[in-house]
Amino acid sequence: MLLRTRRCLPAALSRAAVHPRVSPALPSPGAPRQHGPVAVANQGSALEPRSGPIDWVRSSTMARANPATLFPASTGGHYRIGMQARWFSSAGLPPHMVIGMPALSPTMNQGNITKWRKQEGDKIEVGDVICEIETDKATLEFETLEEGYLAKILVPEGSKDVQVGQPIYVTVEESDDIEKIPADTSFGGDHKEDESSGSAAQTVEVDAAEQSPVMSRISPAAKMLIKEHGLNASLLKASGPRGTLLKGDVLAALKSGTALSSAKEKTAPAAPSPQPARDSQVHSQTTSPKSDTFEDITNTQIRKVIAKRLLESKQTTPHLYLSKDVILDPLLAFRNELKEQHGVKVSVNDIVIKAVALALRNVPEANAYWDNSKEEAQKCDSVDISIAVATEKGLMTPIIRNADQKTISAISSEVKQLAEKARAGKLAPNEFQGGTFSISNLGMYPVDHFCAIINPPQAGILAVGRGNKVVVPVMDNDGTEKAAVVTKMMLTLSADHRIFDGQVGGKFFTELALNFSDIRRLLL
């Protein structure tokens, strides 16, 4: 099951501005709709949680409302898309509406069209799911608030890296108007929007010398690859809508070797001097890719965001690494006691979460983040632990909020629910956005210790290795020394050195070690 989003008007717009019975300046619902640039409809803002019920407004009212950018409301259980809408009435075309790719998460700047639920010619009702969009966080159902007919799909199913604001489909009011929209009509640049609306399609015209009768447009990513490899764009085959050359077209040409031969034809001199056969063979071996020696693996939007954020973290956050071994035997004994005497089944990681949360509560300097605008550390009001969960699409970090105030059994139950939703792609934005500290546990694998990368804007992440039995010297009651076997687990803290210094890190590990040695502190 997919997350579902709706488009709605913001609370900031009063009902007097949208309801015909309140504002006498607006036409009545039965009055014929005026066309031309009356109102705007292009979803380009970020998806944000919204508190309280959503006010639904019919498309006829929306079309008559004044153009306004809609801003996110407060957090809560509903979601909305900031949007703008515009009815167009161009020469030779019936009144129509061009809908752009929406931003369905705060960090989304592009998305993938995974499936079209409606096809060209279908009737569209309020609340119908138009398509499914894969964002950098999850796959969401995109609903419409406008009534009409789907006249033209501009971005085919399966399209990757569609920029936010790029037109994806066109609607008309009447079924008879569908045939009046020519198949070769381009909607990418027909209507110039305000720069702040972000609705203009991000496409770049090819130079006149490189244009061909078939291809007249090229995506920014494709143009970057063409410049990087010195290719001739006019010789590449375009597969995008309206003859647009896409990034995948360039990559396919590079993989097949067609692009390299095109580049050589473009840059080769008119009368090249003959080369020795041996040099020619060596040149062809070094420049021509072999399709049987590698395989392209398509990245999901989630993995692309992970790669970008981790690189930024290592480049902009000064990492401080601290490690400590803790004795795991008291924790294991406590876990067995809960299971045998109370019938409560919890994992080692559940107890680790509780121990870390209490340590952060007792050392509030460690539960903080760096404010770039103020250039100082800011303490967090709550202890919200992000836990790393591996999914097929990439690593997700659902959040246990107020973990220091919850029982171990409550934490265990919540972790299971969030992990299941993460693997199914059903996490709501408020369930993975935020967090004050992260835990990454690889103890279920043969990993003794590792160093994790901080997840900004958080200031710390704890890497948990597996438990190993080791022999250590212990003192007997009579003062004699003997050997004992204990289970040790290494914990490695990666911390923002702007917030954590040696003293703060030492205090945090001191509190954490006490929680492991005297496990009943977790019950207080």
Side-chain angles (χ1 to χ4, degrees), residues 16-95:
V18 298
H19 203 289
R21 291 179 297 178
V22 178
S23 175
L26 295 175
S28 62
R33 179 177 299 167
Q34 299 177 1
H35 299 296
V38 179
V40 174
N42 174 24
Q43 303 88 346
S45 302
L47 168 71
E48 293 289 350
R50 173 184 171 94
S51 62
I54 295 179
D55 295 329
W56 300 109
V57 184
R58 293 180 61 85
S59 60
S60 58
T61 305
M62 179 62 185
R64 289 191 295 269
N66 293 328
T69 301
L70 310 190
F71 297 97
S74 58
T75 59
H78 295 88
Y79 308 96
R80 66 168 185 176
I81 302 169
M83 67 176 183
Q84 291 184 321
R86 174 167 297 171
W87 282 100
F88 296 110
S89 183
S90 305
L93 294 178

Side-chain angles (χ1 to χ4, degrees), residues 339-355:
K339 180 180 178 181
E340 295 173 0
Q341 299 185 12
H342 304 283
V344 178
K345 296 181 180 180
V346 297
S347 68
V348 172
N349 196 55
D350 299 331
I351 303 177
V352 171
I353 293 173
K354 179 68 174 181

Side-chain angles (χ1 to χ4, degrees), residues 243-488:
T244 301
L245 184 66
L246 304 178
K247 176 182 177 182
D249 301 330
V250 182
L251 293 176
L254 289 171
K255 183 176 180 179
S256 63
T258 305
L260 292 176
S261 61
S262 301
K264 289 193 295 182
E265 292 175 4
K266 179 181 178 182
T267 58
S273 60
Q275 296 291 335
R278 180 178 177 276
D279 293 344
S280 177
Q281 292 176 359
V282 173
H283 179 73
S284 63
Q285 291 176 0
T286 56
T287 58
S288 299
K290 297 180 179 179
S291 59
D292 57 345
T293 60
F294 66 90
E295 178 184 358
D296 288 331
I297 301 176
T298 303
N299 261 345
T300 63
Q301 291 296 113
I302 294 177
R303 290 192 182 276
K304 290 179 181 179
V305 172
I306 291 174
K308 180 180 179 181
R309 287 176 59 82
L310 292 184
L311 179 61
E312 291 177 351
S313 176
K314 289 293 290 183
Q315 290 178 333
T316 61
T317 303
H319 281 55
L320 169 69
Y321 301 101
L322 301 173
S323 299
K324 179 174 177 57
D325 288 328
V326 294
I327 305 298
L328 203 57
D329 296 283
L331 184 151
L332 297 176
F334 177 68
R335 178 170 175 256
N336 291 334
E337 180 182 341
L338 291 177
K339 180 180 178 181
E340 295 173 0
Q341 299 185 12
H342 304 283
V344 178
K345 296 181 180 180
V346 297
S347 68
V348 172
N349 196 55
D350 299 331
I351 303 177
V352 171
I353 293 173
K354 179 68 174 181
V356 171
L358 290 180
L360 290 172
R361 186 177 69 182
N362 294 334
V363 187
E365 307 96 302
N367 190 44
Y369 69 96
W370 184 258
D371 190 327
N372 288 319
S373 60
K374 297 181 179 180
E375 295 187 348
E376 62 183 16
Q378 298 287 330
K379 293 181 181 179
C380 300
D381 297 330
S382 59
V383 179
D384 303 328
I385 305 296
S386 300
I387 54 174
V389 177
T391 70
E392 292 182 357
K393 294 184 178 181
L395 196 68
M396 298 294 293
T397 53
I399 302 170
I400 307 296
R401 301 194 181 276
N402 300 308
D404 59 317
Q405 303 175 17
K406 295 179 178 178
T407 63
I408 298 176
S409 59
I411 291 175
S412 177
S413 176
E414 190 170 346
V415 166
K416 293 176 183 177
Q417 295 175 6
L418 290 174
E420 182 179 353
K421 293 177 69 175
R423 295 186 180 99
K426 299 179 181 178
L427 284 176
N430 64 302
E431 293 176 323
F432 60 80
Q433 293 175 3
T436 63
F437 192 90
S438 293
I439 296 177
S440 180
N441 190 342
L442 295 181
M444 67 290 297
Y445 302 106
V447 177
D448 295 328
H449 63 88
F450 65 102
C451 297
I453 300 177
I454 299 171
N455 182 24
Q458 298 176 10
I461 180 171
L462 188 69
V464 181
R466 68 173 176 174
N468 293 306
K469 291 188 178 297
V470 296
V471 178
V472 296
V474 296
M475 298 296 294
D476 205 350
N477 293 332
D478 57 0
T480 60
E481 189 176 82
K482 65 176 183 179
V485 178
V486 298
T487 304
K488 279 190 174 182

Side-chain angles (χ1 to χ4, degrees), residues 192-203:
K192 184 177 180 181
E193 301 285 344
D194 179 67
E195 293 182 357
S196 62
S197 68
S199 61
Q202 298 184 14
T203 56

Side-chain angles (χ1 to χ4, degrees), residues 98-116:
V98 181
I99 307 298
M101 169 66 84
L104 302 181
S105 74
T107 58
M108 176 182 172
N109 53 27
Q110 61 185 15
N112 303 334
I113 304 292
T114 59
K115 183 178 181 181
W116 282 100

